[in-house]
């Protein structure tokens, strides 16, 4: 047993037992098995799970726990299986390892890690990268190193869909496509693989935005009955909650799972909340209409645009409506496939990202370039072929330089969104407009301008496409005429100067 | 007196008289002067107007009339001024001159000329071109010859605004900027010039979409009192109604004339309808919210987009709402000035035009390139500097080839607007999307496709930017996979084939 565990590390208890059960996966679900972890006045319950058999044919059971404060933690298991009951012990939670800042937390309309380090979850999507062969998974991880992505949207279950016709090497359940699957018997080998992938992402500082349900299926995983769904959630949350870089995405396009209704989703959310001792972020992502993101269990609005033409330009309205952070998780994909969501230019995707960023949201990247081998980044990972990913990384650089920003409606005239921190910094984004100059001081008979508070400003022109920042020197608030190059995709950053 | 007048030509009566009035411009307004024109069972009243003095210092009065059917017309004047009263006569209305198809008429949600020739009013805007020096006016007319524009939005009054700081050579009223203007005394010299410009447009087959009121003013023309406004309308309609290529645009951005309310506009419309014997098209154009285009006097919705990002993509909704034709009279300008409405790329303006066209609307062109000499096409005309005007002409070519089209919601999947004539022709427009192929036949588990009725189709790929039409041969409805070049701004036209 581990004597020490770093803060936000995984403390794991392993037991062997002969449960005598027909299905040992009942343990942790309808056969009680958990541990109470205590430190000072706090008590947290971590639920156990069956992890298959060991080399000797013994049933293996585990409990995983993520300590979140340093010092001595004690624990005690309880179970109706005698061999799993009443194990006691303690361990010391030590300083976090250097790159582990703990799980993501909501901070107003933004995010931090548990240690209060700011988190800018500008990420990408590769739904089924875990389900691809090792060489491709390795390439995906290598590709991510070229980026500053902080989040990966990815599915627990494999994906069957356009350009997704290959079978995974390992299934999440016992069985096979021909003979069917036993939805009461998860496949521990698959979960080991998934955990490895999640840890690989953690090593690179990337959050795993783990999609628990999705509709793109021909194995039946999308159509399990209520009992199997509940078993599944209990299992996956029990196994994975101790990993710090996990976010739960209850569904991708929940509304395509047409046999499930709001009561089902609310019930699922309850199970996740009851099971997850680490309180990971939890969201639910739409295809058509949004889920009611005001529900208290939803930590942030995970949004797919609802209109073909106007997308992230609504970000500030969503933020105002829900008063939670917004991750813009499908704003379209750079690519050239047949469907409108997947054939944007890099420029258009980057524009959408900036429209969302400057309004206080966190846009997500994706790529769907047609390919003979059907390896499209959006689903399978592999190589990044496009030009927008570098621009998303540039937005992350902006975040790191500027800190979290909010949309500033009072500073924003009708044609120019301005985000920033009132009195400190202002970022105006021109999008598809391409002015050769702009005044930020005057009044006009018909049009509001973006008059800034009195004082001096460091003015920088940001070419969001070329990823350059041009210093224009210090300018006084009443002389803010900025000459611009007459190209699209420009921004101007004003930093208050002494 | 003219013995004959071609159909839709101008029949003009001229009288001299000494009215004894302090202000001879009262004649036709509060001093009665008109003529009744009769043919068969029809009687039409044309109102007279004062046209200044002749070389001998005599007051000149005129009545203009546009006959709309061939044969003998009789007339009789009436006036409280004895010299203008009870003039009788007749003339023969002959065949129309070759290029005169008569005034524009509404035909469902489209337009024709009075002789039923289709009219596709895809035009441009040059608000104050009439108010520029002759050399510049001539250049404007030359520039228009390079295009297929069928309509020009233009103001009666001069314009004072950004990039519009030059004074006109002739004012529409007696007076001058320094000493002020007499808003009860129109300047006949100005109206002669305006009429010349309108006739120059007619020669080129261009409708004059004549803006009667606008707010961009420092002469007081935008702030006249009710009496002067009424005088003005009576005068301009009486003078100009006989010109066949006139459309009345009651206002540009009516809502910027903040001292006028709905009652005022409704009153103005009544005066126009009472005065205009030729029943020219009549519309009113917004800045912010639309005027209620359902009002019976409004012949077509003249629309400025209300959103920065989503513009002509609403066209089919507007058409459904008002069930009248829609001219998309400000969808933004190709250019690079400071304001968001005036710094679009040629590609973006062309895209908006196509989004509107494929949904059954008639988009309008405009250009606002910054220029040292402040000659921006949008206001002053001059040279066309941009690249979109040729693409607008290409849309007119499409109209001429295909005839009027309507948006076809049942053929249009979520990501691909399709316009056409059901059973005959379908035009799908991809906009900023850039697929490498598209299926027009299959079904998909989640996405509607644009299945066309059974049969064969001539398939053409239209590059709306390069202005090329590529014949893809004849294809059967159940094999409609169209390979596309993976570029933006493509359309596909399907013509039903025997």
């Amino acid at each position: 047993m581990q004597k020490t565990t770093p803060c936000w590390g995984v403390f794991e208890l392993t037991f062997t037992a002969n449960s005598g059960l027909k299905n040992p996966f009942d343990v942790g679900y309808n056969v009680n098995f958990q541990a109470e972890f205590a430190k000072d006045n706090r008590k947290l319950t971590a639920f156990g799970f069956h992890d298959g058999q060991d080399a000797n044919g013994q049933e293996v059971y585990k409990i995983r726990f993520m300590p979140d404060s340093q010092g001595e933690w004690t624990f005690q298991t309880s179970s109706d299986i005698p061999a799993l009951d009443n194990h006691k012990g303690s361990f010391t939670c030590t300083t976090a390892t250097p790159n582990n800042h703990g799980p993501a937390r909501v901070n107003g309309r933004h995010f931090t890690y548990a240690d209060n380090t700011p988190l800018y979850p500008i990420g990408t999507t590769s739904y089924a990268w875990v389900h691809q062969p090792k060489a491709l998974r390795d390439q995906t991880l290598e590709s991510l190193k070229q980026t500053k992505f902080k989040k990966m949207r990815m599915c627990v279950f494999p994906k069957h869909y356009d350009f997704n016709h290959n079978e995974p090497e390992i299934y999440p359940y016992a069985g096979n496509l021909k003979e069917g699957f036993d939805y009461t018997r998860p496949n521990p080998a698959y979960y080991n693989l998934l955990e490895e992938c999640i840890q690989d992402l953690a090593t690179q500082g990337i959050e795993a935005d783990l999609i628990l349900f999705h509709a793109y299926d021909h194995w039946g995983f999308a159509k399990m009955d209520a009992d199997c769904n509940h078993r599944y959630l209990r299992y996956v949350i029990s196994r994975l909650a101790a990993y710090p870089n996990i976010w739960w995405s209850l569904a991708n396009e929940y509304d395509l799972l047409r046999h499930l209704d709001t009561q089902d989703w609310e019930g699922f959310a309850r199970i996740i909340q009851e099971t997850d001792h680490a309180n990971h972020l939890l969201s639910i992502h739409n295809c058509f209409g949004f889920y009611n993101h005001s529900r208290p269990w939803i930590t942030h609005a995970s949004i797919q645009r609802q209109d073909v033409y106007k997308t992230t330009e609504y970000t500030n309205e969503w933020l105002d409506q829900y008063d939670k952070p917004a991750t813009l998780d499908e704003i379209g994909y750079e690519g050239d496939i047949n469907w409108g969501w997947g054939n944007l230019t890099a420029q258009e995707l980057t524009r959408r990202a900036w429209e969302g960023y400057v309004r206080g949201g966190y846009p997500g990247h994706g790529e769907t370039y047609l390919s003979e081998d059907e390896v499209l980044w959006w689903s399978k990972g592999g190589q990044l072929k496009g030009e927008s990913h570098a621009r998303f990384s540039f937005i992350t650089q902006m975040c790191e330089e500027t800190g979290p920003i909010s949309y500033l409606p009072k500073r924003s005239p009708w044609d120019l969104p301005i985000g920033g921190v009132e009195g400190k910094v202002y970022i105006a984004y021109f999008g598809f407009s391409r002015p050769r100059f702009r005044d930020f001081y005057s009044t006009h008979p018909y049009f509001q301008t973006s008059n800034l508070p009195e004082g001096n400003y460091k003015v920088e022109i940001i070419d969001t496409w070329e990823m350059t920042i041009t210093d224009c020197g210090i300018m006084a608030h009443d002389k803010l005429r900025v000459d611009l190059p007459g190209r699209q995709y420009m921004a101007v950053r004003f930093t208050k100067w002494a």
Side-chain angles (χ1 to χ4, degrees), chain A:
Chain A
M1 205 188 72
Q2 298 156 257
K3 298 259 180 199
T4 64
T5 301
C7 192
W8 304 305
V10 181
F11 177 82
E12 186 175 274
L13 293 168
T14 305
F15 306 95
T16 54
N18 268 323
S19 64
L21 296 170
K22 200 171 157 192
N23 184 357
F25 288 100
D26 287 352
V27 172
Y29 179 59
N30 49 20
V31 175
N32 154 33
F33 174 42
Q34 63 273 327
E36 194 172 78
F37 289 81
K39 175 171 172 284
D40 308 326
N41 291 324
R42 288 173 71 217
K43 289 181 179 177
L44 296 168
T45 301
F47 291 87
F49 61 93
H50 177 52
D51 196 29
Q53 298 188 335
D54 67 12
N56 306 318
Q58 296 283 305
E59 294 168 10
V60 177
Y61 295 91
K62 286 181 177 167
I63 289 177
R64 288 178 183 157
F65 177 70
M66 184 188 73
D68 63 358
S69 75
Q70 293 180 46
E72 169 114 346
W73 287 82
T74 61
F75 64 83
Q76 177 170 12
T77 70
S78 57
S79 176
D80 295 335
I81 310 285
L84 301 177
D85 190 42
N86 207 29
H87 294 275
K88 292 181 191 174
S90 68
F91 70 93
T92 302
C93 174
T94 58
T95 320
T97 52
N99 291 317
N100 186 351
H101 300 285
R105 300 291 180 226
V106 162
N107 181 15
R109 295 181 180 186
H110 297 281
F111 300 91
T112 65
Y113 295 99
D115 72 353
N116 292 321
T117 304
L119 165 57
Y120 308 107
I122 292 171
T124 187
T125 293
S126 188
Y127 289 120
W129 79 278
V130 170
H131 304 277
Q132 307 309 315
K134 180 160 174 25
L136 190 50
R137 294 200 306 271
D138 287 347
Q139 195 181 45
T140 303
L141 290 165
E142 277 306 305
S143 296
L144 287 169
K145 287 182 189 161
Q146 305 160 25
T147 74
K148 282 176 166 277
F149 290 139
K150 299 294 183 207
K151 183 163 83 71
M152 169 65 103
R153 276 184 74 73
M154 54 192 271
C155 299
V156 175
F157 292 142
K159 178 170 177 176
H160 181 78
Y161 189 73
D162 300 358
F163 317 114
N164 284 262
H165 300 108
N166 59 329
E167 289 296 309
E169 292 171 1
I170 312 179
Y171 290 105
Y173 283 104
N176 58 59
L177 189 59
K178 206 170 161 187
E179 291 156 14
F181 295 92
D182 183 344
Y183 307 122
T184 68
R185 291 175 186 268
N187 181 359
Y190 168 70
Y191 281 94
N192 288 335
L193 167 63
L194 177 61
E195 286 152 16
E196 199 181 290
C197 291
I198 289 168
Q199 288 174 95
D200 286 340
L201 293 177
T203 306
Q204 297 195 29
I206 298 172
E207 308 290 295
D209 196 6
L210 200 65
I211 295 163
L212 299 171
F213 291 101
H214 68 260
Y216 330 108
D217 178 270
H218 73 155
W219 305 277
F221 308 146
K223 292 195 176 162
M224 302 189 298
D225 65 21
D227 180 64
C228 292
N229 282 335
H230 295 171
R231 280 177 178 271
Y232 161 66
L233 287 170
R234 188 62 170 239
Y235 192 78
V236 71
I237 309 302
S238 299
R239 272 198 84 119
L240 300 177
Y243 293 96
N245 64 321
I246 288 273
W247 300 25
W248 310 121
S249 179
L250 183 44
N252 204 54
E253 302 188 327
Y254 79 95
D255 39 356
L256 294 184
L257 291 144
R258 299 186 205 273
H259 62 299
L260 299 175
D261 62 18
T262 302
Q263 246 187 317
D264 293 314
W265 297 115
E266 292 291 318
F268 295 169
R270 215 172 305 122
I271 291 170
I272 296 170
Q273 290 197 299
E274 285 166 6
T275 310
D276 177 13
H277 68 274
N279 286 319
H280 292 285
L281 297 188
L282 175 55
S283 68
I284 181 165
H285 178 81
N286 64 294
C287 179
F288 306 108
F290 295 164
Y291 199 90
N292 174 10
H293 294 306
S294 296
R295 296 286 301 134
W297 56 266
I298 298 180
T299 53
H300 61 285
S302 167
I303 283 175
Q304 174 160 201
R305 88 249 165 284
Q306 295 181 289
D307 188 279
V308 179
Y309 304 97
K310 189 172 172 179
T311 62
T312 49
E313 297 86 359
Y314 287 115
T315 301
N316 53 304
E317 295 177 35
W318 298 329
L319 286 164
D320 286 344
Q321 184 178 351
Y322 302 118
D323 198 22
K324 296 176 180 182
T327 55
L328 313 172
D329 284 318
E330 276 190 272
I331 62 178
Y333 295 85
E334 178 187 348
D336 56 10
I337 65 168
N338 46 331
W339 298 112
W341 49 262
N343 54 32
L344 302 180
T345 60
Q347 287 84 350
E348 172 64 10
L349 185 61
T350 303
R351 187 190 70 78
R352 293 184 185 192
W354 267 85
E355 297 284 2
Y357 161 60
V358 82
R359 287 173 172 84
Y362 293 96
H365 165 269
E367 252 186 38
T368 46
Y369 279 104
L370 268 186
S371 185
E372 283 291 318
D373 62 7
E374 293 208 333
V375 177
L376 283 65
W377 173 266
W378 132 87
S379 258
K380 298 185 183 171
Q383 283 184 308
L384 284 161
K385 298 171 183 170
E387 297 178 286
S388 64
H389 68 87
R391 279 77 190 176
F392 276 75
S393 295
F394 184 69
I395 298 178
T396 303
Q397 178 194 323
M398 293 296 299
C399 290
E400 290 166 352
E401 288 182 16
T402 310
I405 63 171
S406 302
Y407 182 62
L408 301 174
K410 285 180 193 162
R411 301 293 171 198
S412 300
W414 70 281
D415 60 343
L416 186 60
I418 297 191
V421 179
E422 192 54 73
K424 293 189 174 167
V425 64
Y426 303 88
I427 301 176
Y429 178 59
F430 287 94
F432 52 64
S433 290
R434 49 152 189 185
R436 277 175 47 198
F437 73 93
R438 181 81 178 196
D439 293 332
F440 291 84
Y441 62 96
S442 66
T443 53
H444 188 277
Y446 308 115
F447 298 126
Q448 181 202 348
T449 49
S450 354
N451 299 315
L452 303 186
E454 272 192 34
N456 292 320
Y457 292 90
K458 179 183 180 190
V459 180
E460 294 161 300
I461 296 176
I462 295 158
D463 185 327
T464 70
W465 180 251
E466 297 294 339
M467 301 178 283
T468 58
I469 302 177
T470 305
D471 191 339
C472 302
I474 312 299
M475 295 169 77
H477 73 280
D478 56 353
K479 294 197 181 66
L480 281 175
R481 166 163 293 194
V482 181
D483 287 317
L484 291 157
R487 291 196 305 273
Q488 292 186 313
Y489 315 128
M490 310 302 294
V492 180
R493 181 166 59 182
F494 303 92
T495 308
K496 196 81 157 49
W497 209 250

